[in-house]
Amino acid sequence: MSRLAIVSTEDCKSKSCGLECIKYCPVNLTGLKCIELDEKKIARINENLCRGSGLCVKKCPFNAIEIINLPKELDGEVTHRYGKNSFKLHRLPLPRKGQVLGLVGQNGTGKSTSVKVLSGEIKPNLGELDDVPEWDEIIKYYRGSSLQNYFKSIKENGIVVATKPQAVDLIPKVAKGVVSDLINSVDERGVAEDLKVEFSLEKVWDREISVLSGGELQRVAIAATLAKDADAYFIDEPTSYLDISERMNIAKRIRELAVDKFVIVVEHDLAILDYLSDLVQLYYGVSSAYGVVTQPMSVRDGINNFLEGYVPSENMRFRSEPLKFNRSELTDYVVDRRFPLITYGEMGKEYDTFSMKVRPGQLYPGDIVGIIGPNGIGKSTFVKLVAGVIEPSIIKEEIELKRKRIVEEEDEENDNIFPEEGEKLELVLSYKPQYLDTENESTVQEVLQNVNYKVVSSSFYKTELIGPLGLEKLMSHRISTLSGGELQRVGIATCLAKEADLYLIDEPSAFISAEDRLMVAKTIRRMIMHRRAAAFVIEHDLMLQSYISDRIVHFTGDPGVSGEASEPLSVKDGMNSFLKIQGVTFRRDQLSGRPRVNKLDSKLDKEQKSSGDYYLG
């Protein structure tokens, strides 16, 4: 075993802790210096001297230190390390011309670092911080593998790389002007006009980049990447903010690139990853500490091994329990359909250029209703209408809260759970928006306490909310310093911390790893059931949507012009109705139970379309 010491520069506060870690380190007591302060007054641990006693971890009042035991054989496979006691990556993906390589794994295990290394943005140091290797040494290190010639091309500037960044919401901060100027400025293949049509950019072609939505920014970013004439394309999370039809279209365009190019895609939507990839490589490790890249696998085996948490070829189990996209896991959470919680009638909303119609429906205590449909068709407007946040233009029946909220366990036969005659109950809404504030300088703890002061002190919230969402180590971090996935988890926790009747959760999977999406789904389910509230979840990851939803509201219409919300349908009927319009069929994987996209015009695709079963739930 070797030891990896992780010291968080964000959490280490040596000026106010009394340096307990140094005082009690058993190695330091012998006269050797296992723990010292660096030039920035951050505690640094000598991993060669560390005995792994864990005393420094226990004594640190800010949870800034973590000691991790690693297999000794990984010491000889370090690709890059950011600094002493910082994250290190073991191995690299193996790109192949003519094939799309998909990367999947937990956030913080090195996928983005790998992309930066392979794109030439980062020169791999092979774990050597003092004697950084030159390119000749790096090329020699990878001799015998496909990376030898690849890095030789990078050294000689013989490979041109195009990269689509993960955080598309930050594009307006670095790119100014209108969309057409941006695309034309990078169009080296003469395909700007084709991309405008393929990615439905006509309506935003002359629009300022600063006013674009997340989905529009994503399509612009991918179009700008594909417009470049490159040898290698690295596309980081291309489906965030996009609806399923846009995701399928993006996947087709990416596959077209791979005829004679290197193409690597980082993607957490497993259905889309399955559809567009030829090979898959997995990442495992400890988030923000270390990551390991597996050897390439077939798509089906790779994704199923990831869900199982076990790599047979390496005899490595990296997760104690498998991930199962199976509704039977949620049978403990049964929706009580005896008494409706909220009823809403037929209504509509009309704007100057957009109108929508809502069919009547009911929500029950513990009911989670998924909302699916293309972007720009009125999904968020629908929920705000039901919640009373905006006034409808047309209404045929008042929205009514049928029962009072019950947080503590009460006898359901007790009359006080119903409103008294003539009593008007106010509907309390909690909303997790699609776009989160990235410039807030408050800490995570402060944000959560402002919503519900019990969150930090209550054992219930620690067990059911803070722990499952992995927020314990982020409590002292400022919102502005969080990654996309961390920010998303804080947004979900903030929404669920509020005691409400109706929860609107808009795209909870954005920037969340495939592994964490199941935990997010289970956390949402538990909190809604505990509150005996109801929830609308807007989500484009159909695998997650089919897993979390009790029923589905399907939107039809013309995006940007008109939309119509169905009544709440069964998951199978809602998905089938939606996929039929998209011309896409899903089947269930026999081993893992996960939904899989059928390849277009494959035998299964044709059979399901002819039978009308677009979704085999």
Side-chain angles (χ1 to χ4, degrees):
M1 284 285 183
S2 63
R3 291 189 177 87
L4 172 63
I6 301 297
V7 180
S8 169
T9 57
E10 180 73 25
D11 293 319
C12 184
K13 298 177 176 62
S14 59
K15 294 181 180 179
S16 57
C17 71
L19 299 175
E20 301 293 309
C21 58
I22 294 178
K23 290 181 184 177
Y24 289 94
C25 173
V27 177
N28 281 1
L29 295 176
T30 66
L32 298 172
K33 290 294 184 181
C34 178
I35 303 180
E36 295 183 298
L37 296 182
D38 65 12
E39 64 278 3
K40 295 181 180 179
K41 302 300 181 183
I42 301 296
R44 294 300 178 200
I45 300 173
N46 185 323
E47 293 170 0
N48 294 323
L49 294 177
C50 179
R51 297 178 182 176
S53 68
L55 285 176
C56 56
V57 178
K58 297 174 185 177
K59 292 295 181 180
C60 176
F62 302 108
N63 297 317
I65 302 175
E66 187 173 5
I67 306 295
I68 300 167
N69 289 324
L70 288 176
K72 195 72 176 176
E73 55 267 25
L74 287 177
D75 286 350
E77 299 184 273
V78 179
T79 297
H80 187 74
R81 189 163 194 182
Y82 283 102
K84 191 175 182 180
N85 300 165
S86 298
F87 177 83
K88 63 178 178 179
L89 174 67
H90 301 266
R91 308 179 194 151
L92 277 173
L94 302 173
R96 300 182 185 181
K97 272 192 177 181
Q99 293 182 320
V100 177
L101 177 62
L103 307 182
V104 63
Q106 185 181 3
N107 283 338
T109 52
K111 295 184 297 297
S112 295
T113 297
S114 297
V115 169
K116 290 177 181 178
V117 169
L118 292 174
S119 66
E121 184 179 339
I122 291 178
K123 181 181 175 183
N125 57 26
L126 308 182
E128 299 294 334
L129 301 176
D130 298 323
D131 186 17
V132 179
E134 297 299 327
W135 274 116
D136 288 340
E137 296 175 71
I138 296 169
I139 293 167
K140 183 179 179 181
Y141 177 82
Y142 286 104
R143 67 184 181 276
S145 77
S146 59
L147 291 173
Q148 180 181 9
N149 290 331
Y150 186 89
F151 281 128
K152 188 179 293 184
S153 297
I154 288 182
K155 176 197 173 186
E156 297 169 354
N157 296 319
I159 188 167
V160 179
V161 173
T163 303
K164 200 290 289 183
Q166 177 194 60
V168 295
D169 52 318
L170 300 180
I171 290 176
K173 295 183 178 181
V174 297
K176 307 298 180 184
V178 299
V179 171
S180 58
D181 290 342
L182 173 62
I183 302 297
N184 286 320
S185 67
V186 297
D187 182 22
E188 299 167 344
R189 298 171 55 214
V191 293
E193 290 299 317
D194 293 335
L195 293 172
K196 179 172 72 171
V197 176
E198 289 174 0
F199 294 150
S200 303
L201 297 175
E202 297 95 333
K203 293 181 180 178
V204 300
W205 197 244
D206 296 315
R207 194 175 294 174
E208 289 286 335
I209 293 171
S210 59
V211 301
L212 298 184
S213 68
E216 290 164 347
L217 283 171
Q218 186 72 272
R219 285 182 280 129
V220 167
I222 295 172
T225 304
L226 303 193
K228 296 176 181 178
D229 187 11
D231 302 299
Y233 293 85
F234 298 101
I235 303 173
D236 202 345
E237 295 194 31
T239 63
S240 300
Y241 305 122
L242 299 182
D243 63 48
I244 184 61
S245 59
E246 292 171 329
R247 293 181 183 206
M248 294 298 294
N249 183 51
I250 292 295
K252 292 174 187 175
R253 301 295 172 246
I254 291 173
R255 286 200 60 82
E256 291 172 359
L257 279 177
V259 176
D260 59 349
K261 308 288 186 181
F262 295 106
V263 179
I264 291 183
V265 179
V266 178
E267 182 52 63
H268 296 302
D269 184 333
L270 297 183
I272 297 299
L273 184 77
D274 189 352
Y275 181 79
L276 68 81
S277 301
D278 296 300
L279 293 169
V280 167
Q281 287 186 256
L282 312 184
Y283 283 71
Y284 63 87
V286 176
S287 180
S288 302
Y290 77 95
V292 182
V293 189
T294 68
Q295 294 299 313
M297 311 174 197
S298 70
V299 177
R300 182 177 184 272
D301 288 346
I303 294 178
N304 284 347
N305 288 343
F306 170 72
L307 294 176
E308 186 65 26
Y310 176 68
V311 184
S313 61
E314 301 180 16
N315 193 26
M316 172 59 69
R317 177 161 292 283
F318 56 88
R319 195 186 309 112
S320 58
E321 295 181 0
L323 304 177
K324 295 181 180 179
F325 284 88
N326 194 326
R327 286 283 299 177
S328 64
E329 287 191 330
L330 303 179
T331 52
D332 292 341
Y333 310 111
V334 180
V335 176
D336 180 359
R337 298 194 186 279
R338 290 179 295 167
F339 309 108
L341 175 67
I342 301 166
T343 64
Y344 58 92
E346 184 177 329
M347 54 185 162
K349 183 67 176 177
E350 295 183 352
Y351 296 96
D352 292 339
T353 58
F354 179 78
S355 64
M356 67 173 296
K357 178 182 177 182
V358 176
R359 294 181 186 176
Q362 292 182 327
L363 299 174
Y364 299 89
D367 205 3
I368 296 181
V369 178
I371 300 179
I372 57 177
N375 286 328
I377 206 165
K379 297 187 295 294
S380 295
T381 302
F382 159 72
V383 179
K384 291 175 184 178
L385 279 172
V386 174
V389 175
I390 58 177
E391 292 293 325
S393 306
I394 306 167
I395 186 168
K396 295 187 178 180
E397 183 181 340
E398 288 290 333
I399 301 164
E400 187 176 359
L401 180 61
K402 293 287 189 180
R403 303 189 345 147
K404 294 180 179 178
R405 278 182 299 114
I406 309 170
V407 177
E408 302 298 330
E409 291 294 330
E410 293 182 11
D411 182 4
E412 290 208 353
E413 300 301 323
N414 193 331
D415 290 340
N416 69 9
I417 67 173
F418 297 101
E420 298 177 3
E421 188 175 351
E423 182 183 5
K424 183 70 173 178
L425 297 181
E426 181 182 353
L427 186 67
V428 181
L429 173 71
S430 184
Y431 176 43
K432 199 289 288 183
Q434 182 182 31
Y435 310 112
L436 302 168
D437 183 8
T438 60
E439 298 181 357
N440 190 337
E441 292 301 320
S442 301
T443 65
V444 171
Q445 180 170 321
E446 290 168 347
V447 168
L448 291 173
Q449 283 182 317
N450 286 339
V451 174
N452 187 338
Y453 71 93
K454 299 177 184 177
V455 170
V456 177
S457 57
S458 165
S459 60
F460 167 79
Y461 285 108
K462 289 180 180 178
T463 302
E464 298 295 334
L465 191 64
I466 303 301
L469 293 179
L471 301 182
E472 306 99 322
K473 295 182 179 180
L474 298 178
M475 300 302 279
S476 63
H477 292 206
R478 297 190 182 279
I479 298 295
S480 59
T481 66
L482 301 181
S483 67
E486 292 168 342
L487 186 64
Q488 191 68 238
R489 284 184 278 129
V490 171
I492 293 167
T494 303
C495 175
L496 295 176
K498 181 179 178 180
E499 296 181 2
D501 305 297
L502 180 63
Y503 292 82
L504 165 58
I505 305 173
D506 200 342
E507 293 203 39
S509 72
F511 306 118
I512 299 286
S513 70
E515 186 166 5
D516 290 337
R517 290 183 185 195
L518 279 177
M519 184 53 68
V520 165
K522 291 178 182 178
T523 302
I524 292 172
R525 168 67 65 182
R526 284 195 295 265
M527 293 301 295
I528 299 303
M529 289 300 298
H530 172 74
R531 293 265 168 73
R532 298 185 190 177
F536 283 118
V537 176
I538 300 173
E539 179 55 62
H540 296 302
D541 182 338
L542 294 190
M543 193 179 296
L544 179 64
Q545 189 68 284
S546 65
Y547 178 75
I548 193 175
S549 300
D550 298 301
R551 294 180 294 158
I552 294 289
V553 168
H554 174 209
F555 266 81
T556 55
D558 184 4
V561 179
S562 64
E564 181 173 349
S566 72
E567 68 278 8
L569 306 168
S570 69
V571 172
K572 183 174 182 179
D573 289 345
M575 288 290 188
N576 205 51
S577 172
F578 174 68
L579 293 174
K580 187 173 184 179
I581 294 174
Q582 307 302 323
V584 177
T585 58
F586 274 66
R587 70 186 187 279
R588 287 279 179 183
D589 184 82
Q590 294 180 351
L591 183 62
S592 66
R594 63 186 171 90
R596 299 187 66 189
V597 185
N598 292 320
K599 295 291 192 287
L600 187 65
D601 294 329
S602 66
K603 182 181 177 182
L604 279 173
D605 183 54
K606 291 177 180 178
E607 287 177 354
Q608 286 183 224
K609 285 178 178 176
S610 63
S611 66
D613 292 325
Y614 283 73
Y615 179 79
L616 296 179

